[in-house]
Structures are given as C-alpha cells and as structure tokens.
Amino acid sequence: MPSFPSFSHFVPIVLVGIGATAVMDVWLLILARLGVPTAGFAMVGRWVGHFAQGRFAHAAIAKAAPLPFEHGLGWLTHYLVGIAYAALLVAAVGRGWLVQPTALPALLFGLATVTAPWLVMQPAMGAGFLALKTPAPMKNCLRNLANHTVFGGGLYLAAAALAAVQA
C-alpha cells in the first residue's frame, strides 16, 4: 500500500509540482495567444479569499466582492494545488516514481485531477457541476480535460528532468 512521502521527498515533490504547474501555465499562455479563452486566476483568488469570511460558494464568482489581493492569491493557490497534486501522485504510486518516473501514471493522475474543477470549483464558483451553467459546458469540460492532461504531462516532464539532474 503506498504511503505518504517522507519529509526527505519534500523538495523533489515541490519542484515537480511547480514544474508541472508551470508546464500547464505555458500551455494556457499558448492558448491565450491563439485566441482561446482561458480561465484567469483572479477568480480563483477571489473564491479562496472569501473563505476567510466563511463564504465557500457563490452564485457567480465574478459578481462577488473583489479582493485587493485576489490575483496573487489565485496564482499562489494554483501553485500550491499543483504541489499538493504532486504529493498525492507520489503517495499513490510510490516514492520510486520520483527516481524513475513514467508517463502513464502522471498522465492518468493529471486526468483524474479534472474532477476537482468539475465537481468542486466550478459548482462553488457558480458555473455548476461539469460547467453545466455556462454557455458551452461541453467545450469547457473538454478544455478542462486538455488542461489537466497537460498538467499530467508536466508532472512527468518535471519528474523526468529532476531525475536526470540527480542521476
């Protein structure tokens, strides 16, 4: 049974999480440059920022009171979640994956992480489960799937790069 990584794996996990999240951000930047709408992290920051006031769900996050630090909080949350996902991946597949990473577990895990926006974030931010309250739910779900697949690829690429440097 896989166990949670030890403290000695903390730095590699953080680096893999940051690297994977950065790969996803490059992907989102490319999409934005091609004119494909991408989610801004300010709304994530607004959502998380309202937690301190005991507000976890909104009818429409864009209509919630803006917070002066929401953009930075959104980016911080984005990267902390990426690091947490890296830790969960290592906990699920074992610490050996950091030494000899393989693509399939990372890609499958990346795909699995799409459940968080579909079932938690989007409903809590007013978009509904599976973005059903948006004008184009299928398009949004497919975009989420692509983004999280890229994140999974980023988990593998970051771990492979780290393993190569440490070899």
Side-chain angles (χ1 to χ4, degrees):
M1 172 189 234
S3 62
F4 194 77
S6 69
F7 188 75
S8 66
H9 295 94
F10 178 76
V11 171
I13 287 169
V14 167
L15 293 174
V16 168
I18 290 171
T21 306
V23 167
M24 183 179 186
D25 289 341
V26 168
W27 165 255
L28 293 173
L29 181 64
I30 292 168
L31 289 178
R33 301 272 171 148
L34 294 173
V36 177
T38 59
F41 294 107
M43 292 301 105
V44 173
R46 184 176 296 180
W47 176 55
V48 172
H50 280 274
F51 291 178
Q53 300 165 358
R55 187 91 194 265
F56 302 98
H58 302 265
I61 193 64
K63 294 181 180 176
L67 303 171
F69 51 85
E70 65 189 24
H71 196 260
L73 181 58
W75 278 98
L76 177 64
T77 301
H78 175 58
Y79 274 83
L80 289 176
V81 167
I83 293 166
Y85 281 155
L88 289 173
L89 172 61
V90 172
V93 300
R95 299 173 195 139
W97 183 83
L98 287 170
V99 179
Q100 291 184 301
T102 53
L104 187 60
L107 289 169
L108 292 175
F109 188 82
L111 278 170
T113 64
V114 80
T115 58
W118 284 351
L119 304 179
V120 179
M121 287 181 64
Q122 290 170 352
M125 295 171 79
F129 289 100
L130 299 168
L132 288 174
K133 292 182 179 179
T134 65
M138 181 61 78
K139 186 187 285 186
N140 289 327
C141 284
L142 291 173
R143 192 175 298 135
N144 294 153
L145 231 111
N147 295 345
H148 284 257
T149 301
V150 169
F151 174 74
L155 287 167
Y156 169 69
L157 291 173
L162 188 60
V165 167
Q166 293 178 336

Short mmCIF file of all heavy atoms in Angstrom, two decimals, residues 86-148:
data_model
loop_
_atom_site.label_atom_id
_atom_site.label_comp_id
_atom_site.label_asym_id
_atom_site.label_seq_id
_atom_site.Cartn_x
_atom_site.Cartn_y
_atom_site.Cartn_z
N ALA A 86 1.17 16.84 -6.84
CA ALA A 86 2.42 16.08 -6.99
C ALA A 86 2.61 15.16 -5.79
O ALA A 86 3.01 14.00 -5.94
CB ALA A 86 3.60 17.03 -7.15
N ALA A 87 2.34 15.66 -4.59
CA ALA A 87 2.46 14.84 -3.38
C ALA A 87 1.49 13.68 -3.41
O ALA A 87 1.84 12.54 -3.05
CB ALA A 87 2.23 15.70 -2.13
N LEU A 88 0.26 13.93 -3.86
CA LEU A 88 -0.73 12.85 -3.95
C LEU A 88 -0.32 11.80 -4.98
O LEU A 88 -0.52 10.60 -4.76
CB LEU A 88 -2.11 13.42 -4.28
CG LEU A 88 -2.78 14.20 -3.15
CD1 LEU A 88 -4.06 14.86 -3.66
CD2 LEU A 88 -3.08 13.28 -1.98
N LEU A 89 0.24 12.24 -6.08
CA LEU A 89 0.71 11.29 -7.09
C LEU A 89 1.80 10.39 -6.51
O LEU A 89 1.74 9.16 -6.65
CB LEU A 89 1.23 12.01 -8.33
CG LEU A 89 1.93 11.12 -9.38
CD1 LEU A 89 0.99 10.05 -9.93
CD2 LEU A 89 2.49 11.98 -10.50
N VAL A 90 2.76 10.99 -5.85
CA VAL A 90 3.85 10.20 -5.26
C VAL A 90 3.31 9.28 -4.16
O VAL A 90 3.74 8.13 -4.06
CB VAL A 90 4.98 11.12 -4.74
CG1 VAL A 90 6.02 10.33 -3.96
CG2 VAL A 90 5.63 11.86 -5.90
N ALA A 91 2.35 9.76 -3.40
CA ALA A 91 1.73 8.90 -2.38
C ALA A 91 1.02 7.72 -3.02
O ALA A 91 1.04 6.61 -2.49
CB ALA A 91 0.76 9.71 -1.53
N ALA A 92 0.40 7.95 -4.17
CA ALA A 92 -0.36 6.89 -4.84
C ALA A 92 0.52 5.87 -5.53
O ALA A 92 0.24 4.67 -5.48
CB ALA A 92 -1.34 7.51 -5.85
N VAL A 93 1.58 6.33 -6.21
CA VAL A 93 2.39 5.40 -7.00
C VAL A 93 3.67 4.98 -6.31
O VAL A 93 4.33 4.05 -6.77
CB VAL A 93 2.70 5.95 -8.41
CG1 VAL A 93 1.42 6.21 -9.18
CG2 VAL A 93 3.56 7.20 -8.35
N GLY A 94 4.03 5.65 -5.26
CA GLY A 94 5.23 5.29 -4.52
C GLY A 94 6.38 6.24 -4.78
O GLY A 94 6.46 6.89 -5.83
N ARG A 95 7.28 6.30 -3.83
CA ARG A 95 8.42 7.23 -3.89
C ARG A 95 9.39 6.90 -5.02
O ARG A 95 10.10 7.77 -5.50
CB ARG A 95 9.15 7.21 -2.55
CG ARG A 95 8.29 7.65 -1.41
CD ARG A 95 8.99 7.46 -0.08
NE ARG A 95 7.99 7.56 0.97
CZ ARG A 95 7.95 6.77 2.02
NH1 ARG A 95 8.86 5.85 2.20
NH2 ARG A 95 7.02 6.94 2.92
N GLY A 96 9.42 5.64 -5.43
CA GLY A 96 10.31 5.23 -6.51
C GLY A 96 10.02 5.95 -7.81
O GLY A 96 10.90 6.08 -8.66
N TRP A 97 8.79 6.43 -7.96
CA TRP A 97 8.43 7.14 -9.19
C TRP A 97 9.25 8.41 -9.36
O TRP A 97 9.56 8.80 -10.48
CB TRP A 97 6.93 7.47 -9.19
CG TRP A 97 6.47 8.12 -10.44
CD1 TRP A 97 6.13 7.51 -11.61
CD2 TRP A 97 6.33 9.53 -10.69
NE1 TRP A 97 5.77 8.44 -12.56
CE2 TRP A 97 5.89 9.69 -12.00
CE3 TRP A 97 6.53 10.66 -9.90
CZ2 TRP A 97 5.64 10.94 -12.56
CZ3 TRP A 97 6.28 11.90 -10.45
CH2 TRP A 97 5.85 12.03 -11.77
N LEU A 98 9.65 9.02 -8.25
CA LEU A 98 10.49 10.22 -8.34
C LEU A 98 11.86 9.90 -8.92
O LEU A 98 12.47 10.74 -9.57
CB LEU A 98 10.65 10.88 -6.96
CG LEU A 98 9.44 11.61 -6.42
CD1 LEU A 98 9.65 11.99 -4.96
CD2 LEU A 98 9.13 12.84 -7.26
N VAL A 99 12.34 8.68 -8.69
CA VAL A 99 13.66 8.27 -9.19
C VAL A 99 13.56 7.78 -10.63
O VAL A 99 14.43 8.07 -11.45
CB VAL A 99 14.25 7.17 -8.28
CG1 VAL A 99 15.60 6.71 -8.78
CG2 VAL A 99 14.36 7.68 -6.84
N GLN A 100 12.50 7.03 -10.92
CA GLN A 100 12.28 6.50 -12.27
C GLN A 100 10.85 6.82 -12.71
O GLN A 100 9.99 5.94 -12.74
CB GLN A 100 12.52 5.00 -12.30
CG GLN A 100 13.96 4.61 -12.13
CD GLN A 100 14.12 3.11 -12.27
OE1 GLN A 100 13.53 2.33 -11.53
NE2 GLN A 100 14.93 2.72 -13.25
N PRO A 101 10.61 8.07 -13.05
CA PRO A 101 9.24 8.44 -13.42
C PRO A 101 8.83 7.83 -14.76
O PRO A 101 9.65 7.65 -15.66
CB PRO A 101 9.29 9.97 -13.50
CG PRO A 101 10.73 10.31 -13.67
CD PRO A 101 11.52 9.20 -13.08
N THR A 102 7.57 7.49 -14.84
CA THR A 102 6.99 7.00 -16.09
C THR A 102 5.79 7.89 -16.42
O THR A 102 5.17 8.48 -15.53
CB THR A 102 6.55 5.54 -15.96
OG1 THR A 102 5.70 5.40 -14.83
CG2 THR A 102 7.76 4.61 -15.81
N ALA A 103 5.48 7.97 -17.70
CA ALA A 103 4.46 8.91 -18.16
C ALA A 103 3.03 8.49 -17.81
O ALA A 103 2.22 9.34 -17.42
CB ALA A 103 4.59 9.11 -19.66
N LEU A 104 2.73 7.21 -17.92
CA LEU A 104 1.33 6.79 -17.78
C LEU A 104 0.71 7.17 -16.44
O LEU A 104 -0.38 7.74 -16.42
CB LEU A 104 1.19 5.29 -18.05
CG LEU A 104 -0.25 4.78 -18.10
CD1 LEU A 104 -1.04 5.49 -19.20
CD2 LEU A 104 -0.27 3.28 -18.30
N PRO A 105 1.35 6.89 -15.29
CA PRO A 105 0.73 7.29 -14.03
C PRO A 105 0.52 8.80 -13.93
O PRO A 105 -0.51 9.25 -13.43
CB PRO A 105 1.70 6.81 -12.95
CG PRO A 105 2.58 5.82 -13.61
CD PRO A 105 2.60 6.16 -15.06
N ALA A 106 1.47 9.56 -14.43
CA ALA A 106 1.36 11.02 -14.37
C ALA A 106 0.20 11.51 -15.24
O ALA A 106 -0.58 12.37 -14.83
CB ALA A 106 2.67 11.66 -14.81
N LEU A 107 0.09 10.97 -16.45
CA LEU A 107 -1.00 11.37 -17.35
C LEU A 107 -2.36 10.97 -16.78
O LEU A 107 -3.31 11.77 -16.81
CB LEU A 107 -0.80 10.78 -18.73
CG LEU A 107 0.34 11.38 -19.55
CD1 LEU A 107 0.62 10.55 -20.79
CD2 LEU A 107 0.03 12.83 -19.93
N LEU A 108 -2.46 9.75 -16.27
CA LEU A 108 -3.73 9.31 -15.68
C LEU A 108 -4.09 10.13 -14.45
O LEU A 108 -5.25 10.50 -14.26
CB LEU A 108 -3.66 7.82 -15.33
CG LEU A 108 -3.59 6.86 -16.51
CD1 LEU A 108 -3.41 5.42 -16.03
CD2 LEU A 108 -4.82 7.00 -17.40
N PHE A 109 -3.08 10.44 -13.64
CA PHE A 109 -3.33 11.27 -12.47
C PHE A 109 -3.76 12.67 -12.89
O PHE A 109 -4.69 13.24 -12.32
CB PHE A 109 -2.09 11.33 -11.56
CG PHE A 109 -2.36 12.01 -10.26
CD1 PHE A 109 -2.94 11.31 -9.22
CD2 PHE A 109 -2.05 13.35 -10.08
CE1 PHE A 109 -3.21 11.95 -8.01
CE2 PHE A 109 -2.32 13.99 -8.89
CZ PHE A 109 -2.91 13.29 -7.85
N GLY A 110 -3.09 13.22 -13.89
CA GLY A 110 -3.48 14.54 -14.41
C GLY A 110 -4.93 14.54 -14.86
O GLY A 110 -5.68 15.47 -14.56
N LEU A 111 -5.32 13.50 -15.56
CA LEU A 111 -6.72 13.38 -15.99
C LEU A 111 -7.66 13.31 -14.78
O LEU A 111 -8.72 13.93 -14.79
CB LEU A 111 -6.91 12.13 -16.85
CG LEU A 111 -6.53 12.27 -18.31
CD1 LEU A 111 -6.54 10.91 -19.00
CD2 LEU A 111 -7.47 13.22 -19.02
N ALA A 112 -7.26 12.58 -13.76
CA ALA A 112 -8.10 12.44 -12.57
C ALA A 112 -8.28 13.77 -11.85
O ALA A 112 -9.33 14.02 -11.25
CB ALA A 112 -7.50 11.40 -11.62
N THR A 113 -7.28 14.64 -11.92
CA THR A 113 -7.39 15.91 -11.21
C THR A 113 -8.47 16.82 -11.78
O THR A 113 -8.87 17.79 -11.12
CB THR A 113 -6.04 16.69 -11.19
OG1 THR A 113 -5.66 17.05 -12.52
CG2 THR A 113 -4.95 15.88 -10.50
N VAL A 114 -8.96 16.52 -12.96
CA VAL A 114 -10.01 17.34 -13.56
C VAL A 114 -11.31 17.25 -12.75
O VAL A 114 -12.17 18.11 -12.86
CB VAL A 114 -10.24 16.99 -15.05
CG1 VAL A 114 -11.08 15.74 -15.20
CG2 VAL A 114 -10.85 18.16 -15.80
N THR A 115 -11.42 16.23 -11.91
CA THR A 115 -12.62 16.12 -11.09
C THR A 115 -12.74 17.28 -10.10
O THR A 115 -13.86 17.66 -9.74
CB THR A 115 -12.66 14.78 -10.33
OG1 THR A 115 -11.50 14.66 -9.52
CG2 THR A 115 -12.75 13.61 -11.29
N ALA A 116 -11.63 17.86 -9.67
CA ALA A 116 -11.69 18.98 -8.73
C ALA A 116 -12.41 20.19 -9.33
O ALA A 116 -13.35 20.71 -8.71
CB ALA A 116 -10.30 19.36 -8.24
N PRO A 117 -12.03 20.66 -10.52
CA PRO A 117 -12.81 21.77 -11.06
C PRO A 117 -14.25 21.37 -11.42
O PRO A 117 -15.18 22.15 -11.21
CB PRO A 117 -12.03 22.22 -12.29
CG PRO A 117 -11.08 21.15 -12.60
CD PRO A 117 -10.85 20.38 -11.34
N TRP A 118 -14.42 20.19 -11.97
CA TRP A 118 -15.76 19.78 -12.38
C TRP A 118 -16.73 19.65 -11.21
O TRP A 118 -17.89 20.02 -11.32
CB TRP A 118 -15.70 18.44 -13.11
CG TRP A 118 -15.19 18.51 -14.50
CD1 TRP A 118 -14.93 19.62 -15.26
CD2 TRP A 118 -14.88 17.39 -15.34
NE1 TRP A 118 -14.47 19.26 -16.49
CE2 TRP A 118 -14.43 17.90 -16.57
CE3 TRP A 118 -14.94 16.03 -15.15
CZ2 TRP A 118 -14.06 17.07 -17.63
CZ3 TRP A 118 -14.56 15.20 -16.20
CH2 TRP A 118 -14.12 15.73 -17.43
N LEU A 119 -16.24 19.08 -10.10
CA LEU A 119 -17.14 18.73 -9.01
C LEU A 119 -17.07 19.65 -7.80
O LEU A 119 -17.96 19.61 -6.95
CB LEU A 119 -16.88 17.28 -8.56
CG LEU A 119 -16.98 16.22 -9.66
CD1 LEU A 119 -16.67 14.84 -9.11
CD2 LEU A 119 -18.35 16.25 -10.33
N VAL A 120 -16.02 20.47 -7.71
CA VAL A 120 -15.87 21.35 -6.56
C VAL A 120 -15.79 22.82 -6.97
O VAL A 120 -16.66 23.62 -6.61
CB VAL A 120 -14.62 20.97 -5.72
CG1 VAL A 120 -14.45 21.92 -4.54
CG2 VAL A 120 -14.70 19.52 -5.24
N MET A 121 -14.75 23.17 -7.70
CA MET A 121 -14.51 24.59 -8.01
C MET A 121 -15.62 25.22 -8.85
O MET A 121 -16.14 26.28 -8.49
CB MET A 121 -13.18 24.76 -8.73
CG MET A 121 -11.98 24.60 -7.86
SD MET A 121 -10.45 24.84 -8.77
CE MET A 121 -10.61 26.56 -9.24
N GLN A 122 -15.96 24.61 -9.97
CA GLN A 122 -16.96 25.22 -10.84
C GLN A 122 -18.31 25.34 -10.15
O GLN A 122 -18.93 26.42 -10.22
CB GLN A 122 -17.05 24.45 -12.16
CG GLN A 122 -15.81 24.67 -13.01
CD GLN A 122 -15.72 23.76 -14.22
OE1 GLN A 122 -16.51 22.84 -14.40
NE2 GLN A 122 -14.74 24.02 -15.07
N PRO A 123 -18.78 24.31 -9.45
CA PRO A 123 -20.05 24.50 -8.73
C PRO A 123 -19.95 25.59 -7.65
O PRO A 123 -20.86 26.40 -7.52
CB PRO A 123 -20.31 23.12 -8.09
CG PRO A 123 -19.56 22.16 -8.94
CD PRO A 123 -18.33 22.91 -9.42
N ALA A 124 -18.85 25.62 -6.93
CA ALA A 124 -18.70 26.61 -5.86
C ALA A 124 -18.55 28.03 -6.39
O ALA A 124 -18.86 29.00 -5.69
CB ALA A 124 -17.49 26.26 -4.99
N MET A 125 -18.11 28.16 -7.63
CA MET A 125 -17.93 29.48 -8.23
C MET A 125 -19.13 29.90 -9.09
O MET A 125 -19.11 30.96 -9.71
CB MET A 125 -16.63 29.50 -9.04
CG MET A 125 -15.40 29.32 -8.16
SD MET A 125 -13.87 29.07 -9.08
CE MET A 125 -13.48 30.75 -9.56
N GLY A 126 -20.16 29.05 -9.12
CA GLY A 126 -21.40 29.41 -9.81
C GLY A 126 -21.55 28.86 -11.22
O GLY A 126 -22.54 29.14 -11.88
N ALA A 127 -20.60 28.06 -11.68
CA ALA A 127 -20.67 27.53 -13.04
C ALA A 127 -21.40 26.18 -13.11
O ALA A 127 -21.68 25.68 -14.19
CB ALA A 127 -19.26 27.38 -13.63
N GLY A 128 -21.69 25.60 -11.96
CA GLY A 128 -22.40 24.33 -11.92
C GLY A 128 -21.47 23.13 -12.10
O GLY A 128 -20.32 23.27 -12.51
N PHE A 129 -21.99 21.95 -11.75
CA PHE A 129 -21.24 20.71 -11.96
C PHE A 129 -20.95 20.55 -13.44
O PHE A 129 -21.83 20.79 -14.28
CB PHE A 129 -22.02 19.50 -11.43
CG PHE A 129 -22.10 19.45 -9.94
CD1 PHE A 129 -23.23 19.88 -9.28
CD2 PHE A 129 -21.03 19.00 -9.19
CE1 PHE A 129 -23.31 19.85 -7.91
CE2 PHE A 129 -21.10 18.97 -7.81
CZ PHE A 129 -22.24 19.40 -7.17
N LEU A 130 -19.73 20.17 -13.76
CA LEU A 130 -19.32 19.97 -15.14
C LEU A 130 -19.59 21.22 -16.00
O LEU A 130 -19.86 21.11 -17.19
CB LEU A 130 -20.00 18.75 -15.75
CG LEU A 130 -19.69 17.42 -15.06
CD1 LEU A 130 -20.63 16.33 -15.54
CD2 LEU A 130 -18.25 17.03 -15.29
N ALA A 131 -19.56 22.37 -15.36
CA ALA A 131 -19.75 23.66 -16.05
C ALA A 131 -21.11 23.75 -16.74
O ALA A 131 -21.26 24.46 -17.73
CB ALA A 131 -18.62 23.93 -17.03
N LEU A 132 -22.11 23.04 -16.21
CA LEU A 132 -23.41 22.98 -16.87
C LEU A 132 -24.15 24.31 -16.91
O LEU A 132 -25.05 24.50 -17.72
CB LEU A 132 -24.30 21.91 -16.21
CG LEU A 132 -23.89 20.48 -16.50
CD1 LEU A 132 -24.71 19.50 -15.69
CD2 LEU A 132 -24.00 20.18 -18.00
N LYS A 133 -23.77 25.26 -16.06
CA LYS A 133 -24.43 26.57 -16.05
C LYS A 133 -23.71 27.58 -16.95
O LYS A 133 -24.04 28.76 -16.93
CB LYS A 133 -24.52 27.12 -14.63
CG LYS A 133 -25.44 26.34 -13.73
CD LYS A 133 -25.52 26.97 -12.35
CE LYS A 133 -26.46 26.20 -11.45
NZ LYS A 133 -26.51 26.82 -10.11
N THR A 134 -22.75 27.12 -17.72
CA THR A 134 -22.02 28.02 -18.63
C THR A 134 -22.66 27.92 -20.02
O THR A 134 -23.36 26.95 -20.32
CB THR A 134 -20.53 27.66 -18.70
OG1 THR A 134 -20.38 26.36 -19.28
CG2 THR A 134 -19.88 27.69 -17.32
N PRO A 135 -22.38 28.89 -20.89
CA PRO A 135 -22.96 28.84 -22.24
C PRO A 135 -22.51 27.64 -23.07
O PRO A 135 -23.24 27.20 -23.96
CB PRO A 135 -22.48 30.14 -22.88
CG PRO A 135 -22.16 31.05 -21.74
CD PRO A 135 -21.70 30.16 -20.62
N ALA A 136 -21.32 27.11 -22.80
CA ALA A 136 -20.80 25.99 -23.59
C ALA A 136 -20.18 24.93 -22.68
O ALA A 136 -18.96 24.77 -22.62
CB ALA A 136 -19.77 26.49 -24.60
N PRO A 137 -21.02 24.18 -21.95
CA PRO A 137 -20.49 23.22 -20.98
C PRO A 137 -19.55 22.17 -21.58
O PRO A 137 -18.51 21.88 -21.00
CB PRO A 137 -21.73 22.55 -20.38
CG PRO A 137 -22.89 23.36 -20.80
CD PRO A 137 -22.47 24.19 -21.97
N MET A 138 -19.92 21.61 -22.73
CA MET A 138 -19.08 20.56 -23.33
C MET A 138 -17.71 21.12 -23.71
O MET A 138 -16.68 20.50 -23.44
CB MET A 138 -19.77 19.96 -24.55
CG MET A 138 -18.96 18.84 -25.20
SD MET A 138 -18.66 17.44 -24.10
CE MET A 138 -20.21 16.62 -24.18
N LYS A 139 -17.69 22.29 -24.31
CA LYS A 139 -16.43 22.92 -24.69
C LYS A 139 -15.59 23.20 -23.45
O LYS A 139 -14.38 22.95 -23.45
CB LYS A 139 -16.71 24.23 -25.44
CG LYS A 139 -15.44 24.88 -25.99
CD LYS A 139 -15.70 26.26 -26.57
CE LYS A 139 -16.39 26.16 -27.89
NZ LYS A 139 -16.53 27.47 -28.56
N ASN A 140 -16.22 23.68 -22.39
CA ASN A 140 -15.48 23.95 -21.15
C ASN A 140 -14.94 22.67 -20.53
O ASN A 140 -13.80 22.65 -20.05
CB ASN A 140 -16.36 24.71 -20.16
CG ASN A 140 -16.62 26.13 -20.60
OD1 ASN A 140 -15.77 26.76 -21.22
ND2 ASN A 140 -17.80 26.63 -20.32
N CYS A 141 -15.73 21.63 -20.53
CA CYS A 141 -15.26 20.35 -19.97
C CYS A 141 -14.10 19.78 -20.78
O CYS A 141 -13.13 19.28 -20.20
CB CYS A 141 -16.41 19.35 -19.90
SG CYS A 141 -17.55 19.67 -18.54
N LEU A 142 -14.19 19.86 -22.09
CA LEU A 142 -13.09 19.37 -22.93
C LEU A 142 -11.82 20.20 -22.73
O LEU A 142 -10.72 19.66 -22.69
CB LEU A 142 -13.51 19.36 -24.40
CG LEU A 142 -14.56 18.33 -24.77
CD1 LEU A 142 -15.02 18.51 -26.22
CD2 LEU A 142 -14.05 16.91 -24.53
N ARG A 143 -11.99 21.51 -22.57
CA ARG A 143 -10.85 22.38 -22.31
C ARG A 143 -10.22 22.03 -20.96
O ARG A 143 -9.00 21.94 -20.84
CB ARG A 143 -11.30 23.84 -22.35
CG ARG A 143 -10.15 24.81 -22.37
CD ARG A 143 -10.62 26.25 -22.52
NE ARG A 143 -11.31 26.44 -23.79
CZ ARG A 143 -12.46 27.10 -23.93
NH1 ARG A 143 -13.04 27.68 -22.91
NH2 ARG A 143 -13.01 27.21 -25.11
N ASN A 144 -11.06 21.79 -19.94
CA ASN A 144 -10.55 21.36 -18.63
C ASN A 144 -9.77 20.05 -18.76
O ASN A 144 -8.70 19.90 -18.17
CB ASN A 144 -11.69 21.13 -17.63
CG ASN A 144 -12.46 22.35 -17.23
OD1 ASN A 144 -13.63 22.24 -16.86
ND2 ASN A 144 -11.86 23.52 -17.27
N LEU A 145 -10.33 19.12 -19.52
CA LEU A 145 -9.67 17.83 -19.71
C LEU A 145 -8.30 18.01 -20.37
O LEU A 145 -7.32 17.39 -19.94
CB LEU A 145 -10.55 16.91 -20.57
CG LEU A 145 -10.75 15.57 -19.95
CD1 LEU A 145 -12.19 15.45 -19.53
CD2 LEU A 145 -10.40 14.50 -20.91
N ALA A 146 -8.25 18.83 -21.40
CA ALA A 146 -6.98 19.08 -22.08
C ALA A 146 -5.98 19.73 -21.12
O ALA A 146 -4.82 19.32 -21.05
CB ALA A 146 -7.20 19.97 -23.30
N ASN A 147 -6.42 20.73 -20.37
CA ASN A 147 -5.52 21.42 -19.45
C ASN A 147 -4.95 20.47 -18.40
O ASN A 147 -3.76 20.52 -18.09
CB ASN A 147 -6.25 22.58 -18.75
CG ASN A 147 -6.66 23.67 -19.70
OD1 ASN A 147 -6.19 23.75 -20.84
ND2 ASN A 147 -7.57 24.52 -19.26
N HIS A 148 -5.79 19.61 -17.87
CA HIS A 148 -5.32 18.70 -16.83
C HIS A 148 -4.49 17.55 -17.40
O HIS A 148 -3.62 17.01 -16.69
CB HIS A 148 -6.50 18.22 -15.98
CG HIS A 148 -6.96 19.29 -15.04
ND1 HIS A 148 -6.65 19.29 -13.71
CD2 HIS A 148 -7.65 20.43 -15.26
CE1 HIS A 148 -7.14 20.38 -13.14
NE2 HIS A 148 -7.76 21.10 -14.07
#
